[in-house]
Amino acid sequence: MDVKDILGLPQISFPVLENNSQPHNQSQRKPDDISREVYALTGGLAPLIPAVDLSLLNKRPQSDEKVIWKWLPFKNSARKDDLQLYHWQVQVLNGVPPTEDYSFAKYNKSADITRYTDEEYEKYLANPKWTKEETDQLFELCERFNLRFIVIADRFPSSRTVEELKDRYYSVSRAILIARNPSSGDVAVHPLVKEPYNVSHEKERKRAMSLVLSQTRQQERRDEEVLAEAKRIAELRLMTKVAEEAELVVTSNAGEDVTERANPSPSNMQLPPIVVPSPITTDNASTVASLRMLHVYLRTYALEQMLQSASSSAGLRTINRVDQTLQELGVNLKPRVPTKAVCAEHLELRNEILTLLNIQKQLQNKEAEGSSFRDGSNCETTGTPKRSHRGDQDRTFVPDNTSSGGERIGKRDQKRKASGRHSEVPSSPAQLKRQKKL
Amino acid sequence: MPNTSSSKKHCQDQPQLSGPIPKSHMAKSEENKKNSGKKLKDVEISVPIVYGNIAFWLGKKASEYQSHKWTIYVRGASNEDLGVIIKRVVFQLHSSFNNPMRVVDAPPFELSEAGWGEFEIAITLYFHSDVCDKPLNLYHHLKLYPEDENSSMSTKKPVVVELYDEIVFPDPSEAFLARVLNHPAVHLPRLPAGLTLPPPIPVEDASKRRKGDTKDNPLSQWFLNFSEADELLQLAAARQQVQAHISKLKRQISLIEGQHKQLKSSSDQ
């Protein structure tokens, strides 16, 4: 906001002046010469460069002499007829009327259109798609409307698209130029010659523009998402590539003699490191090796590295569950007193929680296995005596079994009858255990 | 000696890598000076530190731009002198301060200022040449206002935020080790038997200039205590719980597996 910032001038560093970025900020002071409401219209901030010198606005003309205006004729070189027009002009003191050209005449510019002769047309410019008549008409209109092709396209007697008209005009002009200056090198630099008009490219470009303009908000959002996703994937790939390279470097370095100080040691970064040590070391030993490379580090940093290497092998959800479990156990997610012993214990605890979660999952799988094991109807193979037994077990189970799914009740009708009494015995302890757990 | 941490558990964790590499593999040089370059691979030196800030509200004397008087510091965890290890500390303040890069050359490594805003301070620790070539960075968010919005600020009771951490030197030089062998600020593991160290070469003695430890620093009454005992207890209890849970689940699994087997064998008949 400060002009001095933009210009790069050194600032006067009173703590008074520049506490702008602090949370308890007051709004900027308004300049004195315009009213508060007007200033607020600008958004409460001063413009970078004031458009008008504010002090001049309030100035009044100081001279006391009378200013005389006269109604005088003037010359206008922009007009092609002889019409004489008049306007008010300030009378200059010495009485001589000004004889300059009308001040706006200099803006009367038009495009430079080369016209061809008939011979030239026959020699160079003949084209199956265009008659001479049409080409003549085109050039007439171009001159009249100063190359405003949209208007020209409107006015053109036969319907031609803007691209076609442009194409014809530019190719004709180009051909004429080259024909008239075959040997001159200057022509080659002429933009018409250097960059010929490309119809298909133009059509494509306009189509793409209209697509972009007509995109709905939804499409915009979706496009942004896709791009962001692509960027993320690209970065990930880059990171893994860098990490792989870094790992190779780290593991090869770990074996070397560390006393060689000549080796460029990696900078000790407290921020998430980029190259060495790599954050995606999957091995505990390699984390340790990369830490050693640092020569000095903070215990909390080391802990973080270990955690990151552990979490790269597990998923984000697992890590969240571990964190949740830690909280339930009343343990700080980051130890308050991170000594060596405490950090070691912390890591061990996390590993044990991971084991716990794995075992829980195993247990669930086993139980699911068990239920599908008995529920033979899930299998599509041909009926075997084995399954008939299970079907029977089904029947005996169902009344007692509360945890197994209700879908089995319908399916047991398909089973053949067979003796399965002996199966009751092992089932009931399982039932009891399951009910107890529930 | 309380510092030779034979009572501490962590010494059992040494070494983490493959066993101690015999000294003959280390780069030996005839010059005596180069001897300090010898590193010990199976010894890890850790220096517990506490860093943070104390902020006093100035009450009536507060102006708009100077509402608090605060001190940021790095101290030994038990208020020991860090000058043995740290040569100087650089505090990088907010750019609105005059000369925002403040250098403290001698312990106690602290900096006092007056202001109104909270911002992140970058603390860079530079070590003596035989300790480590590279500086270490810490970041601390200066806290002036109490957590609880409703609690009134008093000029007597400051806002204190301290964080415990340890500086770890995984492969210290022999010279460094010799120098800090019995210093209370430094934690050493049990040294390998038969380790002979060269006589300690004193570094520039900063304690001649100022008192290095913070034992009778006027602010020491506000310092917090960090004991690892509580944390260890907490963790041990948690681990026990988890282990018990694990064994319970393991039993359940084996039970179910047993059942499956029985069912399978019974249906095979």
Side-chain angles (χ1 to χ4, degrees):
Chain A
M1 295 316 141
D2 204 357
V3 173
K4 286 196 186 134
D5 255 324
I6 298 161
L7 294 177
L9 293 175
Q11 300 186 339
I12 317 166
S13 54
F14 294 137
V16 178
L17 284 181
E18 273 107 313
N19 281 347
N20 294 337
S21 53
Q22 294 296 334
H24 305 278
N25 198 2
Q26 320 144 335
S27 57
Q28 306 248 27
R29 282 186 64 231
K30 66 161 183 69
D32 290 327
D33 36 6
I34 57 182
S35 74
R36 187 165 48 90
E37 285 84 7
V38 174
Y39 193 60
L41 283 178
T42 64
L45 297 169
L48 294 177
I49 304 166
V52 178
D53 194 1
L54 294 171
S55 50
L56 285 182
L57 273 180
N58 293 335
K59 217 164 65 159
R60 303 261 180 265
Q62 280 156 2
S63 59
D64 292 330
E65 13 179 295
K66 275 169 90 163
V67 178
I68 300 180
W69 289 81
K70 289 212 120 135
W71 180 253
L72 294 172
F74 64 95
K75 272 191 301 193
N76 187 351
S77 58
R79 291 201 75 92
K80 297 198 186 58
D81 49 21
D82 288 332
L83 183 63
Q84 180 67 47
L85 294 172
Y86 301 78
H87 65 195
W88 287 106
Q89 280 179 341
V90 178
Q91 183 179 46
V92 192
L93 281 173
N94 55 14
V96 177
T99 47
E100 306 98 20
D101 194 13
Y102 184 48
S103 61
F104 292 100
K106 61 180 181 275
Y107 298 115
N108 187 34
K109 294 207 195 287
S110 57
D112 207 4
I113 303 184
T114 46
R115 302 305 294 260
Y116 49 83
T117 65
D118 292 341
E119 300 164 6
E120 281 178 328
Y121 186 86
E122 265 149 48
K123 266 209 266 184
Y124 311 109
L125 308 174
N127 190 305
K129 286 189 250 164
W130 284 79
T131 65
K132 182 165 191 309
E133 231 178 43
E134 279 196 313
T135 318
D136 286 345
Q137 277 176 335
L138 172 62
F139 268 73
E140 192 74 32
L141 286 173
C142 282
E143 209 176 303
R144 187 167 151 209
F145 290 114
N146 203 16
L147 289 186
R148 291 193 167 92
F149 281 101
I150 301 199
V151 180
I152 294 170
D154 237 10
R155 297 261 172 158
F156 206 72
S158 50
S159 65
R160 295 263 188 179
T161 66
V162 174
E163 288 85 30
E164 285 177 20
L165 296 171
K166 278 194 187 177
D167 187 28
R168 182 62 178 153
Y169 172 76
Y170 287 124
S171 48
V172 163
S173 307
R174 190 165 188 266
I176 294 176
L177 261 179
I178 295 179
R180 288 188 190 167
N181 310 302
S183 50
S184 159
D186 302 331
V187 173
V189 197
H190 195 283
L192 263 180
V193 175
K194 232 169 82 164
E195 282 139 33
Y197 183 75
N198 186 340
V199 185
S200 47
H201 185 265
E202 279 294 295
K203 286 207 177 124
E204 196 48 45
R205 182 182 66 85
K206 287 186 183 169
R207 194 182 67 84
M209 274 282 281
S210 63
L211 264 183
V212 171
L213 279 174
S214 60
Q215 251 189 355
T216 62
R217 186 156 276 279
Q218 270 244 343
Q219 278 174 311
E220 266 178 36
R221 256 185 266 139
R222 253 184 275 148
D223 281 347
E224 274 175 29
E225 283 170 30
V226 169
L227 282 172
E229 196 60 50
K231 196 169 154 205
R232 250 179 279 148
I233 294 175
E235 277 176 6
L236 251 167
R237 286 209 193 127
L238 186 65
M239 263 207 336
T240 50
K241 203 166 67 146
V242 164
E244 277 167 16
E245 293 168 13
E247 246 191 357
L248 292 173
V249 171
V250 167
T251 47
S252 65
N253 272 352
E256 281 173 6
D257 192 354
V258 184
T259 63
E260 289 178 3
R261 291 194 183 195
N263 276 351
S265 20
S267 63
N268 182 27
M269 294 181 270
Q270 289 303 308
L271 313 167
I274 305 168
V275 182
V276 178
S278 149
I280 315 187
T281 49
T282 48
D283 208 1
N284 213 10
S286 58
T287 320
V288 171
S290 66
L291 286 172
R292 280 180 51 97
M293 297 288 289
L294 290 179
H295 296 300
V296 62
Y297 55 86
L298 281 176
R299 184 76 68 194
T300 46
Y301 173 77
L303 184 59
E304 248 179 70
Q305 290 299 303
M306 301 284 211
L307 286 183
Q308 275 187 345
S309 73
S311 69
S312 64
S313 45
L316 183 60
R317 249 186 32 179
T318 329
I319 301 305
N320 286 341
R321 278 163 62 195
V322 171
D323 284 349
Q324 211 180 18
T325 320
L326 279 172
Q327 279 178 329
E328 285 168 16
L329 290 166
V331 171
N332 302 326
L333 285 180
K334 286 196 179 173
R336 189 170 162 263
V337 189
T339 65
K340 196 174 165 102
V342 167
C343 288
E345 286 283 304
H346 190 93
L347 285 169
E348 288 297 309
L349 179 58
R350 274 185 180 257
N351 284 336
E352 283 174 3
I353 295 182
L354 272 174
T355 322
L356 176 63
L357 292 174
N358 281 338
I359 293 202
Q360 276 180 344
K361 208 189 273 187
Q362 254 188 16
L363 186 58
Q364 283 177 358
N365 288 345
K366 290 282 177 191
E367 289 182 351
E369 223 182 75
S371 59
S372 64
F373 190 64
R374 291 172 205 121
D375 180 19
S377 61
N378 279 337
C379 317
E380 288 304 309
T381 55
T382 56
T384 61
K386 271 190 211 170
R387 260 200 296 124
S388 66
H389 281 265
R390 281 178 230 151
D392 232 12
Q393 290 159 23
D394 234 359
R395 234 166 286 175
T396 53
F397 282 171
V398 163
D400 298 337
N401 206 336
T402 53
S403 65
S404 50
E407 73 273 354
R408 288 205 262 115
I409 300 175
K411 289 177 184 152
R412 65 188 155 109
D413 298 326
Q414 303 168 16
K415 294 296 146 259
R416 282 189 281 135
K417 228 187 191 359
S419 64
R421 250 193 305 136
H422 58 274
S423 60
E424 281 181 71
V425 173
S427 67
S428 39
Q431 303 290 343
L432 289 175
K433 272 257 151 51
R434 208 171 291 153
Q435 278 156 6
K436 242 200 277 176
K437 198 172 94 164
L438 292 174
Chain B
M1 289 290 162
N3 51 300
T4 49
S5 44
S6 44
S7 56
K8 294 228 183 343
K9 275 195 260 174
H10 59 243
C11 58
Q12 295 160 8
D13 292 343
Q14 297 284 338
Q16 284 162 327
L17 305 170
S18 56
I21 296 176
K23 294 225 178 102
S24 57
H25 281 193
M26 297 191 187
K28 278 205 173 138
S29 170
E30 275 70 54
E31 294 172 37
N32 210 8
K33 211 169 155 208
K34 279 264 183 89
N35 250 348
S36 62
K38 235 192 279 184
K39 300 263 189 154
L40 298 166
K41 286 197 176 180
D42 43 353
V43 176
E44 186 185 270
I45 293 189
S46 64
V47 183
I49 56 166
V50 174
Y51 63 96
N53 73 271
I54 290 184
F56 285 92
W57 182 50
L58 291 175
K60 283 186 303 185
K61 299 195 204 138
S63 73
E64 196 175 354
Y65 294 103
Q66 299 205 337
S67 60
H68 286 74
K69 190 160 171 357
W70 49 265
T71 309
I72 181 155
Y73 54 85
V74 179
R75 64 176 174 92
S78 37
N79 295 327
E80 303 297 343
D81 177 15
L82 289 179
V84 231
I85 303 116
I86 300 181
K87 186 165 67 175
R88 69 171 186 275
V89 176
V90 176
F91 296 95
Q92 182 78 25
L93 304 179
H94 189 265
S95 47
S96 57
F97 281 90
N98 228 346
N99 301 326
M101 191 155 127
R102 304 284 172 95
V103 181
V104 182
D105 280 312
F109 298 107
E110 60 186 29
L111 177 72
S112 295
E113 260 291 349
W116 60 272
E118 299 184 344
F119 54 91
E120 191 178 72
I121 301 180
I123 309 172
T124 314
L125 308 173
Y126 291 89
F127 305 103
H128 290 293
S129 43
D130 62 346
V131 173
C132 183
D133 283 339
K134 290 198 314 269
L136 187 60
N137 288 321
L138 301 167
Y139 300 94
H140 177 69
H141 184 85
L142 183 71
K143 193 141 175 47
L144 303 180
Y145 301 96
E147 273 294 328
D148 184 11
E149 295 251 333
N150 296 329
S151 73
S152 56
M153 302 198 281
S154 86
T155 48
K156 298 285 176 9
K157 204 156 169 301
V159 171
V160 181
V161 175
E162 287 192 331
L163 290 157
Y164 176 97
D165 213 328
E166 294 187 345
I167 310 177
V168 182
F169 301 97
D171 43 6
S173 67
E174 285 195 343
F176 175 29
L177 197 53
R179 207 156 49 79
V180 300
L181 204 40
N182 288 327
H183 197 281
V186 174
H187 284 184
L188 299 170
R190 193 187 295 130
L191 300 174
L195 179 65
T196 48
L197 295 170
I201 309 164
V203 287
E204 185 189 331
D205 198 0
S207 61
K208 289 210 180 94
R209 289 184 257 158
R210 266 154 71 173
K211 195 135 194 259
D213 60 35
T214 42
K215 287 217 166 70
D216 39 7
N217 190 319
L219 297 173
S220 60
Q221 56 176 312
W222 306 112
F223 291 164
L224 302 173
N225 261 327
F226 291 90
S227 103
E228 63 169 350
D230 298 331
E231 199 107 22
L232 281 176
L233 269 175
Q234 205 188 49
L235 287 171
R239 280 185 74 181
Q240 254 195 343
Q241 256 194 311
V242 171
Q243 279 163 355
H245 209 162
I246 290 181
S247 15
K248 190 175 88 172
L249 290 182
K250 276 196 177 148
R251 265 181 277 129
Q252 279 188 335
I253 287 187
S254 49
L255 241 154
I256 292 188
E257 281 182 344
Q259 285 163 28
H260 288 351
K261 249 199 254 171
Q262 273 195 321
L263 292 173
K264 209 165 173 233
S265 58
S266 65
S267 58
D268 275 343
Q269 287 168 4

